[in-house]
């Protein structure tokens, strides 16, 4: 768990922490542009992943032979390369013929991150599935730490251009460090012409379903930033909400790690409905305990900022206080989504995410002109409550059905 936490914190937390650290050195408007750009980059990176990080973890763990594990990595490398190329081409065409804004030009410059970041993520997923994650922990930790320092330095000196350059350098150095540590695994996997086409198509099919749900989930979470940008709210206000949203993402990081770790344990109990129900209840309690602690920490930190420091980021601290209270609700949503993955029910999460997205979009569209960033806060909380209601009901029904089937089989 500790090694998984370190790797996940490096892959996702490094980007988050660097955005917090640049705030004291640049204007809120720069923070707003960075948050808008980072939100769009996250979406296009996920679009280019085709769900291959989840596939890499699951399929690698299911293989006993090193050669079979390397075949899995070879397949995900090929699919990530193809999908990333398609996404990059789409960004190029959109930049040339459709969008001409400053943000679109920044996205075009950073589109190479789609390939580099996804190669890094699927490799770390492979390391988790092959149980060699300990081999990359320290190298990735040092590379990420250096990247955070570089990002702050270059952004302070050169603004948005410095931030973009630092993002490229950081991702490339992290990928090089991980590939060097796993060179015995990565080398054979780079022989892409040995890939099995039929297995590749089957893997791609699974990835499409997983990625669709993940993409819609990220899109829904990103809607407040995207709508604030689209409706031309002041970049300072986008920066305030963006920092508050980052605080929530940071609070969700431990929960995501616990959920990722829980999937194998839940899968092992699919044939025992009573044990599965007990495990799920225990999982929910753990998520609520951790999320409540994270929520309390965020409220205390934001309250301390308001009382002791204040300044131009007071509004961001106010947003954090309200958003933090939704963390326990978000924890239950995440736990239910994890349970559905264990049950191999992928489509339901996608549908719920779409319904939540419609609600969030309506709240933002009508609320932003009147309330600005507070509309984003209300939309986030309302969407979380809706997803909680739908997903928890669905999971309870499926567990009850499993228990009923088990009773029938026993009779």
């Amino acid at each position: 768990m500790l090694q998984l936490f370190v790797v996940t914190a490096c892959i996702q937390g490094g980007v988050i922490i660097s955005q917090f650290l640049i705030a004291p050195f640049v204007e809120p408007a720069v923070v707003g542009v960075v948050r808008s750009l980072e939100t769009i980059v996250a979406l296009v990176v996920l679009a280019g992943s085709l769900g291959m990080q989840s596939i890499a973890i699951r399929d690698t763990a299911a293989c006993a032979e090193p050669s079979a594990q390397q075949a899995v990595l070879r397949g995900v490398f090929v699919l990530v390369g193809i999908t990333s190329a398609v996404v990059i081409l789409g960004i190029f065409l959109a930049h040339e013929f459709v969008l001409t804004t400053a943000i679109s030009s920044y996205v075009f410059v950073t589109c190479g991150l789609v390939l580099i970041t996804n190669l890094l993520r699927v490799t770390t997923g492979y390391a988790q599935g092959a149980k060699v994650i300990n081999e990359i922990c320290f190298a990735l930790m040092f590379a990420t730490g250096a990247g955070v320092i570089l990002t702050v330095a270059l952004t302070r000196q050169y603004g948005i251009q410095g931030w973009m350059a630092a993002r490229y350098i950081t991702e490339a150095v992290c990928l090089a460090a991980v590939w060097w540590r796993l060179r015995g695994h990565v080398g054979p996997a780079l022989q892409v012409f040995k890939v099995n086409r039929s297995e590749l198509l089957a893997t791609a099919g699974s990835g499409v379903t997983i990625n669709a749900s993940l993409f819609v989930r990220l899109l829904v979470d990103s809607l407040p930033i995207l709508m604030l940008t689209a409706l031309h709210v002041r970049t300072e206000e986008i920066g305030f909400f963006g920092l508050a949203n980052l605080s929530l993402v940071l609070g969700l990081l431990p929960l995501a790690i616990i959920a990722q770790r829980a999937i194998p344990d839940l899968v092992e109990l699919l044939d025992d409905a009573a044990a599965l129900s007990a495990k799920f209840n225990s999982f929910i309690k753990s998520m609520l305990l951790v999320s409540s602690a994270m929520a309390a920490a965020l409220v205390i930190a934001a309250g301390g900022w308001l009382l002791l420091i204040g300044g131009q980021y007071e509004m961001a601290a106010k947003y954090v206080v309200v958003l933090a209270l939704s963390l326990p609700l978000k924890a239950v949503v995440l736990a239910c989504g994890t349970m559905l993955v264990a049950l191999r029910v992928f489509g339901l999460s996608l549908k719920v995410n779409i319904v939540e997205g419609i609600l969030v979009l309506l709240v933002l569209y009508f609320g932003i002109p009147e309330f600005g960033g507070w509309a984003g806060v209300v939309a986030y909380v309302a969407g979380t409550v809706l997803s909680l209601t739908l997903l928890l009901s669905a999971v309870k029904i499926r567990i009850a059905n499993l228990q009923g089937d088990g009773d029938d089989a026993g009779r």
Side-chain angles (χ1 to χ4, degrees), residues 182-201:
L182 297 178
R183 55 192 180 276
H185 303 262
V186 172
L190 291 176
Q191 300 172 7
V192 295
F193 294 105
K194 293 184 178 180
V195 69
N196 185 305
R197 293 185 180 181
S198 60
E199 293 180 359
L200 194 69
L201 291 174

Side-chain angles (χ1 to χ4, degrees), residues 85-95:
V86 172
V87 171
I88 291 172
L89 177 61
I91 293 172
F92 170 76
L93 295 175
H95 174 69

